């Protein structure tokens, strides 16, 4: 048992209270995070689709045109993904201060790399979008495709950094095993989380594009190879098939979670979400069977159902996180309280102690001793020398110490000591002269 | 600090990275967002009013650059400040977040609107093809200019608030930021600085879009003349603002410094900064005047490369300006509350009496013994020094002691221990040593060992963590045991 106890670090929390009620932070975390991850999904899923469709476009130009249309949405979604990420970041920093920052530090290099990697991915996305009409043939087209692939690969990698952190923060008992970012990937269930996230990205992108490109007022002037119902059907199909796959990937994620946070409540929430997901899928497949004239008429119902599923899964995820960290949070709270009780007692006793009215000259001299030794030159001249220069003139030392100049080119300039007070400086000066004379006499 | 220590030995513990990311953010935010949006909106309005499609086109092309840079490097360096501070100083950013939550939350909301507006403005530019649509489009630009200035105004308030010692723990009111004596001059200085540098930026980029065509068409040349003439005016007027607010700031700082800190050495170091700021302000203003007057008279006397001179001067001055914050904050990370190594003011005496290792989490040992002295010294270094100093890299402890005791002489361990315990008296920007005597000795032993055999120290991001069991306390009950 001792080995087990030793394996979980229990740090002290920051002593400041949360700035807002905890329930409000939880609400903000769950809701803002889902908004953030929706745009992340559209950014990641969109960039993967663009790569595939642009490649298909080599044989049939209409896919190239479609890829171009999707590329226009990525640059908008990526900006929203970033800006909407700040709110949940603030919330998770506040709610899980001790676990979140620790996970960040343990994967520190990768965590810091997020900044240049995302900047590069974004610049590549812009390059890909704005060179679409100019890099069209031969080697230039290949270069264009490679740009898209490079951006997509970065978008495929960066989520791993976040997932590693989200995963690691839940398992403090494993922190001791972590030696850098890559080792953090082998702890917990990063891979199932990643697969679930990627599938969600494709499904959400499919749903979004079915609505965005399939909307009544959308501009089809660049998409003459397609009809509106055709596009709706195409993106609905992507959404439906990938969501079907989630019924394998979802349980894979659930059953590979470390068991510490699994409670009946978590199962109830997740399985309710999953049954709602089944209903959603049924409506979605029903929609796919509709004729061209009416396909898309249930779009907002499907969006609503998906939102409820995602909200359910997001809440389940939070309930799991709370349960997984309940013991750790309690331990931290106890340790923090113990520490601050002891600290308060110490400070009370300390304040009750009679104030040392005056420091003795010897104590005061400690301020000088690190630089001025009796007869060797340390940082400043030795006391023997000082005693020689200021023999019978302690006030000279006081005047110098209040506003030192620079006399010796080989030594650093002395800092002013005026904060010790004139009376104390005078005491020190007198002691210095005695000490210096004594050392010289030896 | 009770977090695993992220630490980079080369870069003064790594905090230089925060500085680099934050400086890059400011250098993009001021000229390309806060300053450029209103000027570009004005160009769009002028083009609309005087029916000058060439000016509209020029504004659009420059906005394209602004759009690309601000939504990539600009936005991500802003996020990067969060990401990097949470690595290097989680104790500080975690505490600040609990105090200034509403300030940052409000800033986030304004930031969202700024991002939405820049995308809306730029991406619908070419779709605004009727006078009615154009009018509406110009209004988006106006809203964007206001929002982008507002994010700066809010964040400057948060920064000012962070620096004002001893106020928040009494009042905890956000409004105190606005009553900070440095707030108004700082905001004014930054606003005009942004306009001034933005004008030079627009001027500079316009040269790429107004190249002379071979067919003898002089329209690009006339457009260039038009933009240079206007931007010269903007530079001259905003330079006056920079000068006035800069001088106001320069006059406010000493009083604030006196109120904040009576400490002599800090003032001594600060006064040298202060003097440098004055001369930098003068020289920067002078170069901008020369350039702007050149622009007013004849554009050919101002070649493109010459515009880089005031830009570099401006960057230098802004960097210098930002450093004032460092001077004023030391040795605190939150004034009169938390030292830069994460030790709270009210726990200092406790830790000095009990020892810092005893109450830490990520340490190998809790009591210093002869056998574990070096390992303890390394942990003490990590806890007490590593947020600002490296072992062998930039701003290393070895350099500091070499400057004091010399490179060729043996260092006296007793003297070093004495110095460490009293250094906050003589080096007033240093926090007091937050451990007991045995720990100070262990630290000195570690430094002596480093000197004899310089070795890179690795942080938690590569070495992982090690920790020893908690000291005695109430026995753990079954409920509080970690469940596996």
């Amino acid at each position: 048992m001792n080995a087990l106890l030793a394996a979980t670090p229990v740090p002290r929390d920051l002593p400041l209270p949360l700035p807002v009620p905890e329930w409000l932070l939880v609400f903000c975390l769950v809701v803002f995070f889902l908004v953030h991850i929706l745009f992340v999904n559209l950014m990641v899923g969109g960039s993967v689709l663009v790569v595939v469709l642009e490649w298909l476009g080599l044989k049939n130009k209409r896919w190239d045109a479609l890829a171009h249309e999707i590329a226009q949405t990525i640059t908008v979604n990526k900006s929203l993904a970033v800006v909407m990420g700040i709110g949940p970041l603030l919330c998770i920093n506040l709610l899980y201060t001790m676990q979140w920052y620790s996970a960040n530090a343990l994967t520190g290099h990768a965590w810091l790399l997020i900044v240049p990697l995302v900047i590069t991915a974004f610049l590549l996305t812009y390059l890909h979008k704005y060179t679409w009409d100019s890099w069209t043939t031969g080697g230039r087209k290949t270069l264009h495709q490679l740009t898209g692939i490079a951006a997509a690969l970065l978008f495929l990698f960066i989520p791993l950094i976040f997932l590693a952190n989200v995963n690691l923060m839940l398992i403090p008992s494993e922190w001791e095993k972590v030696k850098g970012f890559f080792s953090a990937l082998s702890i917990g269930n990063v891979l199932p989380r990643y697969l679930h996230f990627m599938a969600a990205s494709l499904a959400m992108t499919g749903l979004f594009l079915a609505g965005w490109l399939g909307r009544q007022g959308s501009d089809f002037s660049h998409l003459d190879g397609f009809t509106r119902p055709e596009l709706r059907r195409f993106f609905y199909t992507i959404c439906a098939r990938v969501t079907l796959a989630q019924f394998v990937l979802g349980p894979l994620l659930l059953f590979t979670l470390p068991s510490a946070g699994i409670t009946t409540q978590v199962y109830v929430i997740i399985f309710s979400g999953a049954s709602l997901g089944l209903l959603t899928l049924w409506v979605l497949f029903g929609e796919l069977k509709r004729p061209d004239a009416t396909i898309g008429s249930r779009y907002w119902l499907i969006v609503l159902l998906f939102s409820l599923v995602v909200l359910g899964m997001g809440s389940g995820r939070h309930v799991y996180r709370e349960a997984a960290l309940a013991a750790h949070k309690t331990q931290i709270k106890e340790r923090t309280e113990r520490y601050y009780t002891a600290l308060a007692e110490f400070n009370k006793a300390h304040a009750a102690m009679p104030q040392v009215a005056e420091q003795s000259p010897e104590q005061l001299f400690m301020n000088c001793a690190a630089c001025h030794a009796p007869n060797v030159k340390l940082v400043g001249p030795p006391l023997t020398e000082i005693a020689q220069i200021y023999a019978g003139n302690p006030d000279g030392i006081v005047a110098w110490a209040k506003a030192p100049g620079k006399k010796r080119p080989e030594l650093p300039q002395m800092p002013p000591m005026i904060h010790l007070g004139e009376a104390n400086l005078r005491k020190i000066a007198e002691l210095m002269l005695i000490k210096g004379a004594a050392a010289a006499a030896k | 600090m009770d977090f695993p220590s992220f630490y980079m030995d080369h870069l003064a513990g790594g905090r230089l990275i925060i500085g680099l990311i934050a400086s890059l953010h400011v250098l993009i935010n001021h000229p390309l967002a806060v300053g450029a949006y209103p000027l570009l909106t004005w160009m769009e309005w002028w083009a609309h009013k005087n029916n000058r499609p060439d000016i509209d086109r020029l504004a659009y092309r420059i906005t394209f650059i602004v759009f690309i840079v601000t939504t990539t490097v600009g936005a991500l360096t802003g996020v990067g400040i969060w990401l990097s501070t949470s690595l290097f100083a989680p104790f500080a950013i975690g505490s600040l977040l609990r105090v200034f939550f509403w300030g940052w939350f409000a800033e986030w909301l304004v930031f969202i609107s700024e991002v939405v507006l820049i995308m809306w403005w730029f991406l619908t530019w070419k779709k605004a093809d009727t006078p009615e649509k154009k009018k509406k489009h110009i209004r988006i630009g106006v809203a964007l200019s206001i929002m982008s200035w507002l994010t700066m105004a809010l964040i400057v308030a948060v920064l000012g608030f962070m620096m004002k010692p001893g106020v928040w723990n009494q009042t905890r009111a956000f409004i105190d930021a606005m009553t900070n004596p440095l707030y108004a001059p700082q905001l004014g200085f930054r606003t005009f600085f942004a306009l001034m540098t933005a004008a030079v930026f627009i001027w500079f980029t316009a040269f790429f879009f107004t190249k002379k065509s071979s067919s003898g068409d002089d329209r690009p040349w006339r457009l260039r003349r038009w933009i240079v003439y206007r931007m010269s005016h903007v530079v001259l007027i905003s330079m006056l603002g920079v000068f006035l607010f800069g001088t106001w700031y320069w006059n406010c700082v000493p009083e604030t410094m006196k109120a904040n800190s009576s400490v002599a050495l800090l003032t001594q170091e600060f006064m040298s900064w202060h003097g440098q700021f004055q001369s930098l302000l003068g020289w920067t203003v002078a170069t901008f005047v020369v350039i702007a007057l050149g622009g007013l008279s004849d554009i050919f006397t101002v070649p493109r490369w010459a515009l880089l001179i005031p830009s570099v001067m401006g960057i230098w001055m802004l960097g210098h300006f930002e450093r004032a914050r460092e001077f004023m904050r030391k040795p605190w990370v939150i004034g009169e509350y938390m030292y830069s190594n994460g030790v709270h003011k009210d726990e200092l005496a406790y830790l000095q009496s009990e020892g810092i290792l005893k109450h830490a989490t990520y340490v190998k040992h809790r009591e210093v013994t002869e056998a574990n002295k070096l390992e303890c010294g390394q942990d003490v270094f990590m806890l007490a020094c590593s947020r600002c100093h490296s072992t062998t890299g930039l701003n290393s402890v070895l350099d500091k002691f070499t400057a004091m005791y010399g490179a060729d002489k043996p260092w006296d361990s007793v003297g070093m221990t004495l110095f460490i315990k009293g250094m906050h008296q003589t080096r007033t920007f240093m926090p007091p040593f937050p451990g007991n005597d045995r720990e100070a000795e262990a630290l000195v032993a570690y430094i002596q060992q480093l000197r004899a055999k310089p070795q890179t120290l690795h942080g938690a991001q590569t070495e992982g963590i090690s920790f020893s069991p908690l000291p005695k306390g109430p026995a753990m009950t079954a409920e509080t045991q970690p469940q596996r």
Side-chain angles (χ1 to χ4, degrees):
Chain A
M1 204 65 227
N2 268 337
L4 268 187
L5 281 180
T8 306
V10 180
R12 281 180 282 131
D13 199 355
L14 302 172
L16 292 166
L18 288 180
V20 270
E22 196 175 334
W23 63 265
L24 188 60
L25 280 177
V26 169
F27 175 80
C28 290
L29 176 62
V30 171
V31 173
F32 290 144
F33 177 75
L34 288 177
V35 176
H36 162 66
I37 209 69
L38 171 69
F39 288 111
V40 173
N41 283 156
L42 299 183
M43 169 182 89
V44 175
S47 62
V48 172
L49 276 184
V50 164
V51 166
V52 176
L53 294 179
E54 192 183 7
W55 179 70
L56 286 177
L58 292 178
K59 288 192 177 148
N60 185 338
K61 272 285 161 206
R62 68 173 196 152
W63 294 115
D64 192 87
L66 183 59
H68 192 184
E69 284 297 307
I70 299 173
Q72 320 263 0
T73 66
I74 299 173
T75 49
V76 173
N77 289 330
K78 68 110 181 75
S79 277
L80 292 172
V82 168
V83 71
M84 293 314 296
I86 295 172
L89 184 68
L90 298 190
C91 292
I92 202 162
N93 283 355
L94 282 168
L95 280 170
Y96 301 101
T97 310
M98 302 318 289
Q99 291 87 9
W100 180 250
Y101 288 142
S102 302
N104 294 168
L106 288 171
T107 59
H109 284 143
W111 184 248
L112 206 54
L113 271 177
I114 290 174
V115 179
L117 288 180
V118 176
I119 290 177
T120 313
F122 282 10
L123 288 172
L124 286 171
T125 314
Y126 278 129
L127 185 67
H128 192 234
K129 173 178 157 184
Y130 287 110
T131 53
W132 206 291
D133 291 328
S134 46
W135 295 359
T136 46
T137 48
R140 289 198 153 199
K141 184 64 182 172
T142 313
L143 187 64
H144 186 257
Q145 283 182 295
L146 287 176
T147 310
I149 291 170
L153 286 177
L154 281 171
F155 282 135
L156 289 176
F157 174 71
I158 295 161
L160 267 180
I161 304 178
F162 285 97
L163 285 172
N165 273 273
V166 166
N167 173 66
L168 192 58
M169 70 170 276
L170 292 178
I171 329 169
S173 56
E174 305 278 309
W175 288 353
E176 207 178 14
K177 294 179 192 160
V178 179
K179 308 263 184 275
F181 167 68
F182 288 104
S183 73
L185 294 180
S186 60
I187 284 166
N189 64 341
V190 181
L191 186 67
R193 280 170 184 268
Y194 183 72
L195 295 175
H196 188 63
F197 162 80
M198 286 311 302
S201 293
L202 283 175
M204 285 301 114
T205 308
L207 186 65
F208 162 71
L209 291 172
W212 178 250
L213 297 177
R215 75 190 191 281
Q216 273 314 322
S218 71
D219 180 9
F220 261 68
S221 53
H222 302 290
L223 288 172
D224 38 16
F226 294 95
T227 65
R228 184 166 281 117
E230 193 183 356
L231 277 188
R232 286 183 182 164
R233 197 177 303 279
F234 176 69
F235 289 116
Y236 267 149
T237 311
I238 292 179
C239 178
R241 292 205 180 146
V242 178
T243 306
L244 195 62
Q246 288 288 42
F247 282 87
V248 178
L249 298 175
L252 180 69
L253 164 58
L254 181 63
F255 295 122
T256 53
L257 279 174
S259 60
I262 296 292
T263 60
T264 323
Q265 205 190 1
V266 172
Y267 272 131
V268 170
I269 298 175
I270 297 292
F271 283 113
S272 314
S275 357
L276 201 58
L278 266 182
L279 176 69
T280 314
L281 208 53
W282 182 69
V283 178
L284 193 53
F285 275 108
E287 181 92 338
L288 278 173
K289 285 192 194 128
R290 282 168 185 273
D292 280 1
T294 55
I295 188 167
S297 56
R298 292 259 172 90
Y299 185 74
W300 290 109
L301 174 68
I302 295 170
V303 169
L304 177 74
L305 284 172
F306 258 114
S307 311
L308 292 175
V309 173
V310 168
L311 201 60
M313 295 299 177
S315 315
R317 166 198 170 95
H318 180 75
V319 171
Y320 171 79
R321 186 162 50 208
E322 275 298 298
L325 287 177
H328 196 232
K329 280 179 122 177
T330 315
Q331 288 171 319
I332 289 177
K333 194 162 170 256
E334 282 176 2
R335 168 141 194 232
T336 309
E337 276 167 9
R338 234 169 28 233
Y339 177 78
Y340 283 98
T341 312
L343 174 64
E345 275 164 19
F346 175 88
N347 280 341
K348 210 171 139 193
H350 201 66
M353 273 198 300
Q355 288 288 318
V356 183
E358 270 179 44
Q359 285 187 292
S360 71
E362 282 288 348
Q363 283 171 318
L364 285 165
F365 182 69
M366 289 312 229
N367 288 308
C368 322
C371 300
H372 300 285
N375 43 25
V376 278
K377 189 160 75 179
L378 281 180
V379 183
L383 296 179
T384 46
E385 227 177 294
I386 297 175
Q388 213 180 347
I389 300 169
Y390 293 102
N393 179 21
D395 286 329
I397 298 182
V398 173
W400 170 264
K402 273 156 66 180
K406 175 135 175 108
K407 273 200 250 178
R408 297 160 203 258
E410 79 281 12
L411 294 177
Q413 186 178 353
M414 177 175 153
M417 307 298 283
I418 193 163
H419 56 280
L420 294 177
E422 190 141 348
N424 284 337
L425 285 176
R426 171 84 198 201
K427 281 192 219 165
I428 296 172
E430 281 164 5
L431 182 67
M432 272 182 154
L433 292 180
I434 297 169
K435 278 177 177 270
K442 263 183 205 168
Chain B
M1 84 165 201
D2 225 12
F3 296 91
S5 293
F6 181 89
Y7 173 80
M8 290 167 92
D9 209 20
H10 298 276
L11 301 167
R15 93 204 139 113
L16 205 66
I17 300 223
I18 305 181
L20 281 176
I21 293 177
S23 305
L24 192 57
H25 184 66
V26 169
L27 287 178
I28 287 172
N29 170 279
H30 283 15
L32 268 71
V34 176
Y37 295 150
L39 295 179
L40 291 166
T41 308
W42 173 79
M43 281 169 73
E44 192 193 8
W45 171 81
W46 177 279
H48 172 66
K49 193 165 166 262
N50 297 293
N51 195 22
R52 288 283 300 269
D54 57 332
I55 292 173
D56 189 84
R57 194 168 157 68
L58 179 63
Y60 176 77
R61 289 171 131 183
I62 298 174
T63 306
F64 175 72
I65 297 174
V66 165
F67 172 74
I68 298 287
V69 177
T70 53
T71 58
T72 55
V73 190
L76 263 299
T77 45
V79 178
I81 297 174
W82 287 110
L83 300 187
S84 56
T85 45
S86 61
L87 282 181
F88 297 113
F91 49 86
I93 198 69
S95 303
L96 288 169
L97 196 51
R98 291 183 189 207
V99 178
F100 306 120
F101 176 76
W102 288 113
W104 274 320
F105 192 79
E107 205 253 346
W108 179 51
L109 297 182
V110 181
F111 180 45
I112 294 176
S113 70
E114 190 188 341
V115 169
V116 171
L117 285 167
I118 177 67
M119 291 195 296
W120 191 11
W121 192 47
F122 175 71
L123 296 172
T124 60
W125 194 301
K126 287 191 166 166
K127 288 177 190 151
D129 45 9
T130 65
E132 288 70 40
K133 280 188 187 168
K134 196 69 188 167
K135 265 186 199 153
K136 196 182 152 206
H137 188 258
I138 292 167
R139 271 190 224 119
I140 304 172
V142 174
L144 172 63
S145 306
I146 294 171
M147 283 305 174
S148 126
W149 183 82
L150 209 55
T151 46
M152 184 178 79
L154 276 171
I155 205 70
V156 168
V158 174
L159 291 180
F161 201 8
M162 275 160 59
M163 277 192 301
K164 200 177 177 191
V167 170
W168 70 262
N169 48 13
Q170 286 139 34
T171 65
R172 297 196 182 210
F174 191 69
I175 192 73
D176 281 322
M178 310 295 181
T179 59
N180 184 322
L182 287 179
Y183 180 68
Q186 186 179 177
L187 186 60
F189 174 80
R190 283 178 192 272
T191 305
F192 284 104
F193 181 85
L195 282 170
M196 179 172 82
T197 46
V200 174
F201 162 76
I202 290 174
W203 183 344
F204 183 73
T205 29
F207 277 25
F208 292 93
F209 300 127
T210 53
K211 289 204 177 114
K212 239 182 189 169
S213 61
S214 51
S215 60
D217 179 7
D218 71 339
R219 275 177 302 179
W221 183 85
R222 280 199 317 220
L223 180 59
R224 182 183 288 191
R225 171 143 202 124
W226 182 90
I227 192 80
V228 166
Y229 186 73
R230 260 82 191 168
M231 288 305 122
S232 306
H233 279 82
V234 177
V235 171
L236 279 176
I237 293 166
S238 37
M239 196 197 53
L240 191 67
V242 168
F243 183 74
L244 289 178
F245 280 100
T247 310
W248 185 13
Y249 186 84
W250 186 73
N251 282 322
C252 278
V253 166
E255 279 88 70
T256 320
M257 278 297 296
K258 266 181 230 150
N260 288 356
S261 152
S262 56
V263 175
L265 183 72
L266 199 58
T267 316
Q268 190 185 46
E269 234 182 77
F270 174 75
M271 288 324 275
S272 80
W273 171 86
H274 197 220
Q276 281 170 21
F277 179 71
Q278 187 192 26
S279 52
L280 253 182
L281 183 68
W283 281 109
T284 309
V285 164
T287 47
F288 274 95
V289 168
V290 171
I291 292 287
L293 289 179
L296 281 183
S297 54
D298 181 352
I299 62 164
F300 292 112
T301 62
V302 186
R304 200 185 309 174
W305 59 263
L307 293 177
L308 293 173
I309 299 173
S311 309
V312 170
M313 296 281 296
I315 289 169
W316 185 15
M317 181 175 76
L318 193 66
H320 214 71
F321 176 81
E322 305 288 357
R323 271 185 64 201
R325 300 219 310 271
E326 290 295 314
F327 281 113
M328 295 179 62
R329 215 149 64 176
K330 282 175 180 178
W332 306 103
V333 65
I334 305 176
E336 297 290 329
Y337 175 74
M338 183 188 270
Y339 291 106
S340 39
N341 53 12
V343 171
H344 290 88
K345 185 188 182 185
D346 70 348
E347 67 182 352
L348 179 69
Y350 185 53
L351 294 179
Q352 284 174 337
S353 134
E354 296 243 316
I356 192 171
L357 295 177
K358 185 177 166 187
H359 293 286
T361 302
Y362 301 102
V363 290
K364 291 194 188 76
H365 314 280
R366 297 185 177 279
E367 290 282 344
V368 181
T369 64
E370 270 315 305
N372 68 19
K373 208 170 186 178
L374 289 176
E375 286 187 332
C376 283
Q378 181 178 317
D379 279 337
V380 170
F381 174 85
M382 201 56 120
L383 290 171
C385 324
S386 73
R387 296 305 94 190
C388 305
H389 293 286
S390 70
T391 55
T392 52
L394 281 184
N395 202 25
S396 76
V397 279
L398 290 184
D399 287 349
K400 298 289 151 188
F401 280 108
T402 306
M404 279 172 60
Y405 295 128
D408 43 359
K409 291 182 285 183
W411 297 349
D412 175 36
S413 290
V414 179
M416 285 167 76
T417 313
L418 270 177
F419 171 76
I420 285 174
K421 286 195 293 181
M423 72 195 154
H424 59 290
Q425 302 279 4
T426 52
R427 308 283 187 275
T428 42
F429 42 83
M430 295 290 289
F433 179 69
N436 61 25
D437 292 355
R438 305 272 303 141
E439 288 168 344
E441 285 160 19
L443 177 61
V444 168
Y446 174 65
I447 295 171
Q448 293 279 25
Q449 152 90 7
L450 266 182
R451 188 188 183 208
K453 215 172 112 190
Q455 233 179 353
T456 304
L457 177 62
H458 294 287
Q461 76 276 21
T462 40
E463 289 281 277
I465 48 170
S466 47
F467 55 95
S468 58
L470 278 175
K472 61 192 183 311
M476 295 243 175
T477 58
E479 287 78 44
T480 59
Q481 277 170 10
Q483 285 156 22
R484 306 263 301 217

